[in-house]
Amino acid sequence: MKSAAQIAGEVNSGATSAVAELTRSLEAVRARNDELHVFLFVDEEGALAAARRVDDVVARGGSAGPLAGVPIAIKDNMCQRGVPTTCASKILQGWRPPYSATVVEKLLAAGAVPVGKTNLDEFAMGSSTENSAFGPTRNPLDTSRVPGGSSGGSAAAVAADMTPIAIGSDTGGSIRQPAALCGVIGVKPTYGLVSRYGLVAFASSLDQIGPFAKTVTDAATLLEVLAGHDPLDSTSLPEPSPSLVAHVGDGVAGQRVGVVRELIEGADEEVLEAVARAREALEKAGATTVELSIPELRLGLSAYYLIAPAEASSNLARYDGVRYGLRVDGDDVAAMNEATRTAGFGAEVKRRIMLGTYALSAGYYDAYYGQALKVRTQMIGAFARAYREVDLLLGATTPTVAFAFGAKTANPLSMYLSDVFTIPTNLAGEAAISVPFGTGEGGLPVGVQLLGPGRSEARLFAAARVLEIADGRP
Amino acid sequence: MSPLRREDVAHVAKLARLSLSESELDLFTEQLSQVLEHASDMASLDLEGVVPVAHPFGLINVVREDEVRPCLDRDEVLAMAPDARDGRFAVPRIMGEAP
Amino acid sequence: MTLEHGYEMVVGLEVHTELRTRSKMFCGCPNQFGAEANTNICPVCLGLPGSLPVLNVRAVELAMAIGVALHCTIAPSTFHRKNYFYPDMPKDYQISQYDLPINVGGYLDLPDASRVTIERAHLEEDTGKSTHLGGTGRLQGADRSLVDYNRSGVPLVEIVSGPDIRSSAQARAYAQELRGILIATGASDGRMEEGSMRIDANVSVRQANAALGTRCEIKNLNSLRSLQRAIDYEARRQVEMLEHGEVVRQETRHWDENLGETSTMRTKEEAEDYRYFREPDLVDLIPDQAWQDRVRAGLPAMPAERRRQLRERLNEPTEAQLDAVEVVIDLGLETLVEAAVERGADVTLAISRAANEVAAAIDEVANLTPAAFADTVLMEQHGQLSATQAKTVLGELLANGGDPRAIASQRGFEQLSTDSLEAIVDSLIEAHPDEWSRYREGDEKLAQFFVGQVMKLTRGQADGKAVIAALQQRR
């Protein structure tokens, strides 16, 4: 499949039309969506209208933007006006938002053509997409295995060449982990770089929207479109979108890279090998590498599994059957709330709501949530100290390659452990990218993770590009 | 750190407006206990004096001007309501005053 | 009202006021009373999935103004979520301030010189409004409640006093003074009947110097009168209970204005656990010194100061004159008084006309310009209008606006020149020699006889005082 950069160039020059590119994309979707269950909703009508608008602009002699005519998949926890947004939950089944997320407006302004809404773990809670209320997504590279989660659908859309790019959300690894398991690139931007307005909140202090792509240049192009201050999001960074594409070819000469013990320990052999080879590739390209230990990172999982559910328990309170979505009636409004939420939420969502409610409740706040916030401060300090010694960190994205359906569902904790390498970045609000680097068991892809301080995306893309070339994708 | 009891889970479910079956109550108590047990490494740390950070990059004073902006169309909004009457959202009767 | 058996009441008041901003606290929807249901809503104040709050800078400034007026410290603050389920709350949590409010540690001095401490005054968002449809009394499909979210997200400041109030009269005075301050800062319109200002009272009783008793919160106080009555009722209720050996239960009670009593609100099975935590969608609020100074500098004079300034103009004021000053300040009529005084009007006359004639038609005060008021008062002062005529002119100005001289001339309130008045007095003295000699000998009552005669002859156009002056001159 053509890259996004290629499509945009050809559409803007008139060499191809947005409608033609959309047609190709829809064919790919139709060919495998039943099998893979990537899309919960394919918006043929809306996509066609968007594609036609792009072609009109070009026909009148203008440029339709950096993503002109590029088909894109959007994770179904982002609002798109008039299009069903379910968050893969029965409680929002059939709901069509009366407004669009800022990122969706930006994509349309850049000429992108949203093809549909992709499957996810319900309300973004999960690491395999098995928690979707509408059935899981299958890994395009091996359909007996999970694509990862929670943005499994978006990762699979790109991996299956349905769309060259997609967007997902990452709260504890939900972009990077599925990217690694599906063999594509996934980025979690600095907290506040991309507006959260219109992203259905899971954990407000951790959520970020980010790109999926097959090439580093496409990922950078997409992130440039998504990023920049939004007056509708109070946590949005004040500056406009940074220049990223221009820096993709900067290389890593003179960069210092720390290989972090806590970001590889416990990973499978094949993953460790991939990290080792990535380290060599960076050294070959002129970086110096050292081994680092950041022991504070080990507390990340515990802190995350208190902070995220706590915020989620509050963010999900609004699903009460009053104003939109599912309603199961009751004798009085409280009974209706209870009946609605009990019927509408899946087990994992209920689990996290209860965990979060408990962590915040009277008598337990200090020991759990309060303590977790302090651990988070420790972690930010630990990263800051590390970045005084090095410019970037290197580690694994996730401990294993894609696992089989049902392999980790018996025990929630075992599923949570797949986020152990990705969670610290969310807690610190910093940036990270997962880059496919080689294959493991059965030819399944392995991802390695590059981490940087806040606002270091340009540096990360440059290093990712070095790895991309070393992995044979020039 | 006190262990998580079945009554705690039942109480918390009520607070969260969730109703659980007996077997769900047992299952969730077990599962949540495991997570909290795992978190005991963190809970036992002495972090006295550590101040929780508000925003990772120290943003403060984010405000907007006091200007009126367009609203949503009422009909569009009420159309998505499970029950609407007289231009208002209808719910089963509310028992008890607001806290 | 003193309580029996040596008890004293301990009262604290919580006052919520809606802020007079154009738009809501966290979104651009109009902050507007009385609009058609659910027409002032958007994704944010409706709490739609994906929506986010952004703080209204004017709400912050008004909160700071309130803080300054109440002598509080403006502190760095954060927002917290107060989590509970209720249909008029679109997110099922309220964004409020918890342990780090914007204003802390102030006080309010009352006209009787007592001081009530202010613990805090913080920002929060208002909820929607629910109304209830009556049912057949049967459970199935009977009762419904209807919710309007127009009010959801309107900015509020909550002002919490210390438990310093010791009588219902003092509570009323506190509420009244606070209301005057909120109006003076521009933060509020103080309309309790419209719900833009709401008061809850926390009442407990104790023996003098004993530890604080258990307190009850009283809600549904829709007027200052209700406030006073409810506090007295509740204090008496608690004393009676304690005297009977019963224990006062800590609870929220509802005041019924018709029955004149408080009653328990339907109790819930469990106490609310609000699970407060810092609002992650908002950042900290740290108003710097420059901003605080701008707010401080922009504050107009508060009622206490304006009262003092006006009182100072009076020479040994009587009780009645002091009351009139209160009325003038309460109703914000001092601009009229100042305008008249500046042009040379007598201050007591100006205050009297404002506190009586203008106050009586306060809803129409916009029709009366300070210049017109000053003109009218001066015309009366110089004898061009009698008191009665001046009141009539004011009434006309309030009803329809206009120019006082034009009105006077239209109504035939012709100027009675001094010469013609003198001539009339002379002729009456000649016509009533007996009455005149008795007056000259000291019978003051006869002055009124002559005044009456002058009025008859001039069809009420003469100024009574001028007549008396003319008589005294001729004595």
Side-chain angles (χ1 to χ4, degrees), chain C residues 94-107:
Chain C
Q94 181 196 30
I95 300 179
S96 177
Q97 294 191 303
Y98 182 53
D99 57 354
L100 290 171
I102 185 169
N103 297 307
V104 284
Y107 60 86

Side-chain angles (χ1 to χ4, degrees), chain A residues 32-384:
Chain A
R32 293 193 77 186
N33 200 45
D34 282 345
E35 176 202 3
L36 299 178
H37 196 41
V38 166
F39 285 90
L40 293 175
F41 182 77
V42 179
D43 183 24
E44 285 200 35
E45 215 179 285
L48 201 52
R52 288 206 179 108
R53 275 196 302 273
V54 168
D55 287 335
D56 277 345
V57 169
V58 173
R60 280 183 271 120
S63 156
L67 293 176
V70 180
I72 186 168
I74 297 175
K75 184 177 182 180
D76 200 22
N77 63 351
M78 299 182 217
C79 292
Q80 188 180 349
R81 191 164 201 274
V83 174
T85 299
T86 67
C87 301
S89 178
K90 287 194 276 216
I91 217 166
L92 278 180
Q93 198 167 9
W95 182 60
R96 291 178 190 247
Y99 80 106
S100 284
T102 297
V103 293
V104 170
E105 306 275 25
K106 288 187 167 192
L107 287 173
L108 290 170
V113 177
V115 162
K117 312 300 285 308
T118 58
N119 200 15
L120 60 152
D121 283 293
E122 188 179 358
F123 283 107
M125 300 182 192
S127 311
S128 66
T129 318
E130 288 168 293
N131 291 330
S132 166
F134 308 122
T137 296
R138 299 185 173 280
N139 192 317
L141 306 173
D142 179 343
T143 57
S144 71
R145 296 173 187 256
V146 304
S150 61
S151 313
S154 282
V158 172
D161 287 324
M162 291 176 175
T163 58
I165 51 176
I167 52 175
S169 67
D170 190 312
T171 305
S174 289
I175 288 177
R176 291 162 286 160
Q177 185 253 22
L181 300 194
C182 289
V184 299
I185 295 165
V187 183
K188 187 207 88 73
T190 305
Y191 184 78
L193 187 71
V194 178
S195 167
R196 288 184 298 118
Y197 186 76
L199 168 67
V200 179
F202 160 16
S204 317
S205 71
L206 301 167
D207 295 342
Q208 269 296 277
I209 293 173
F212 285 100
K214 277 196 161 168
T215 72
V216 173
T217 300
D218 276 0
T221 307
L222 178 48
L223 187 52
E224 262 188 31
V225 168
L226 299 172
H229 176 69
D230 184 10
L232 295 175
D233 176 353
S234 298
T235 60
S236 143
L237 295 176
E239 62 263 23
S241 181
S243 167
L244 298 171
V245 177
H247 294 280
V248 167
D250 280 359
V252 295
Q255 296 275 299
R256 301 160 300 162
V257 179
V259 181
V260 183
R261 178 196 312 178
E262 288 79 10
L263 296 181
I264 52 178
E265 67 189 357
D268 281 357
E269 202 54 49
E270 55 207 351
V271 174
L272 295 175
E273 273 166 20
V275 175
R277 281 184 291 109
R279 177 184 182 174
E280 277 164 23
L282 292 169
E283 281 173 348
K284 234 189 239 164
T288 49
T289 70
V290 290
E291 273 161 28
L292 284 184
S293 170
I294 311 179
E296 290 87 346
L297 300 191
R298 286 209 193 94
L299 298 169
L301 206 67
S302 304
Y304 175 82
Y305 277 100
L306 286 171
I307 294 175
E311 293 181 8
S313 70
S314 178
N315 284 328
L316 268 63
R318 69 192 68 199
Y319 305 105
D320 58 10
V322 174
R323 293 159 294 280
Y324 45 82
L326 179 72
R327 176 187 289 193
V328 176
D329 247 305
D331 289 341
D332 59 60
V333 73
M336 182 276 280
N337 293 151
E338 200 170 284
T340 300
R341 292 163 65 81
T342 304
F345 288 139
E348 184 60 33
V349 170
K350 286 178 183 165
R351 221 180 335 263
R352 298 204 196 189
I353 287 175
M354 288 192 296
L355 185 54
T357 306
Y358 184 74
L360 291 173
S361 61
Y364 298 110
Y365 179 98
D366 288 332
Y368 293 123
Y369 185 72
Q371 189 77 339
L373 291 182
K374 293 183 177 184
V375 165
R376 181 181 197 162
T377 305
Q378 302 289 78
M379 193 156 306
I380 292 174
F383 270 120

Side-chain angles (χ1 to χ4, degrees), chain C residues 189-205:
Chain C
D189 60 22
R191 300 219 177 107
M192 282 181 79
E193 353 56 84
E194 272 176 19
S196 61
M197 182 170 149
R198 302 162 219 163
I199 309 184
D200 299 327
N202 287 302
V203 181
S204 67
V205 297

Side-chain angles (χ1 to χ4, degrees), chain A residues 81 95 98 190-191 234-236 238 299 301-303 306 321-325 327 329-334 337-338 341-342 351 353-355 357-358 368 371-375 377-378 380 411-412 416 428-429 454, chain B residues 1-2 4 8-9 12-20 24 28 31-32 34-36 38-39 41-43 45 47-48 50-53 55-57 59 62 72 76 80-83 89-95:
Chain A
R81 191 164 201 274
W95 182 60
T190 305
Y191 184 78
S234 298
T235 60
S236 143
L299 298 169
L301 206 67
S302 304
L306 286 171
V322 174
R323 293 159 294 280
Y324 45 82
R327 176 187 289 193
D329 247 305
D331 289 341
D332 59 60
V333 73
N337 293 151
E338 200 170 284
R341 292 163 65 81
T342 304
R351 221 180 335 263
I353 287 175
M354 288 192 296
L355 185 54
T357 306
Y358 184 74
Y368 293 123
Q371 189 77 339
L373 291 182
K374 293 183 177 184
V375 165
T377 305
Q378 302 289 78
I380 292 174
N411 178 359
Y416 298 167
Chain B
M1 239 184 35
S2 48
L4 185 66
D8 295 325
V9 179
V12 150
K14 219 78 223 118
L15 276 180
R17 296 278 204 268
L18 293 171
S19 70
L20 304 178
E24 278 175 320
F28 284 148
Q31 289 173 335
L32 294 182
Q34 277 177 15
V35 177
L36 291 173
H38 186 272
D41 59 348
M42 181 206 77
L45 287 176
L47 295 175
E48 187 75 41
V50 176
V51 178
V53 97
H55 186 277
F57 305 108
L59 282 188
V62 175
L72 285 176
E76 197 182 348
M80 64 185 183
D83 187 7
F89 294 85
V91 294
R93 65 198 168 151
I94 304 170
M95 312 280 287

